[in-house]
Amino acid sequence: VIEINPKDANAYLNIGFIKILLDDYSGAILNLDKSIEINPNNINAYLKRGNLKQKMNDYNGAISDFQKALNLQPGNANHYKIIADLNFKLKNYLSAINYYDQAIKINPSDANSFYNRGILKFKLHDFSDAIKDYDNAIRINPNFLEAYRNRAIANWQIGDESASCDDQKKLIFFGDQKAKKWISSLPGAWCREM
């Protein structure tokens, strides 16, 4: 196809995809670059190249590509989430929170976005807001065990032992062995008495 029409952006996109499947990442990047050069509005080329850069641990390059995809498709919550996740990996916590904020505005029923934003707020020692995000994640998905576990820890951090213990007991109700082991141990003795 390229020999017949060297200006076919989709041909370069498809060759780039094939090169990814063949683990020829440098060849894939070259073809995806060419596809974007021919058609700078080719959102699929940015997404494929961004995914590839992420796979290659080039998180800043991946953010750049996903940001370009986001500029072409501004209402896509998934693009915001991916950029948030990449910022999280780079420990750019405030930036990640801002991108999760945008993802949640677009899709307020995504439990994972609330949960991940809660983790970031916890890392920044904003335990009260982290708890609110875990509350939302649990409201959306009442079986979200990690949200219960993290909320228990955050409640412990702010001194709300009762709420922390309630979450530990909910985890046991769901069959969580870590919580069962903890509450049976010496450190969990105070919770057994509640």
Side-chain angles (χ1 to χ4, degrees), residues 8-194:
D8 185 351
N10 285 326
Y12 287 102
L13 174 67
N14 291 332
I15 292 170
F17 180 68
I18 291 167
K19 297 234 180 230
I20 291 170
L21 294 176
L22 297 173
D23 292 330
D24 178 5
Y25 297 157
S26 60
I29 293 283
L30 289 173
N31 280 281
L32 294 169
D33 288 348
K34 186 68 175 173
S35 178
I36 291 167
E37 178 186 319
I38 294 167
N39 179 5
N41 293 323
N42 190 341
I43 191 168
N44 290 325
Y46 287 115
L47 294 174
K48 286 199 187 317
R49 191 173 70 179
N51 282 321
L52 180 56
K53 287 179 179 178
Q54 183 177 6
K55 189 174 185 176
M56 297 168 65
N57 297 323
D58 177 7
Y59 300 134
N60 287 314
I63 287 171
S64 176
D65 280 341
F66 285 112
Q67 186 62 57
K68 288 173 184 162
L70 186 58
N71 293 342
L72 293 170
Q73 199 176 46
N76 190 310
N78 195 47
H79 299 339
Y80 283 106
K81 282 177 53 176
I82 292 169
I83 295 170
D85 291 343
L86 290 165
N87 274 292
F88 192 163
K89 288 180 181 178
L90 291 169
K91 298 184 189 296
N92 297 332
Y93 298 146
L94 293 175
S95 183
I97 287 171
N98 289 331
Y99 280 100
Y100 279 125
D101 289 346
Q102 295 304 313
I104 289 168
K105 282 181 188 172
I106 296 167
N107 184 4
S109 62
D110 182 0
N112 287 321
S113 289
F114 281 107
Y115 173 75
N116 289 337
R117 189 175 70 179
I119 291 172
L120 290 161
K121 290 178 179 177
F122 186 95
K123 286 184 169 292
L124 295 172
H125 300 270
D126 185 357
F127 302 118
S128 295
D129 274 356
I131 290 167
K132 290 175 190 171
D133 279 338
Y134 297 139
D135 288 344
N136 280 313
I138 292 166
R139 176 185 50 78
I140 296 163
N141 178 1
N143 298 319
F144 202 150
L145 298 185
E146 288 305 313
Y148 284 104
R149 184 180 330 282
N150 287 7
R151 187 173 71 179
I153 296 167
N155 275 312
W156 176 261
Q157 290 290 332
I158 64 168
D160 190 344
E161 293 176 1
S162 177
S164 179
C165 185
D166 286 346
D167 280 338
Q168 292 290 352
K169 289 179 179 178
K170 285 175 189 161
L171 286 165
I172 292 169
F173 173 79
F174 284 120
D176 185 82
Q177 293 302 310
K178 285 169 77 174
K180 187 175 183 179
K181 184 177 178 182
W182 175 81
I183 209 166
S184 298
S185 71
L186 185 59
W190 63 270
C191 186
R192 282 194 306 272
E193 307 301 322
M194 293 185 103

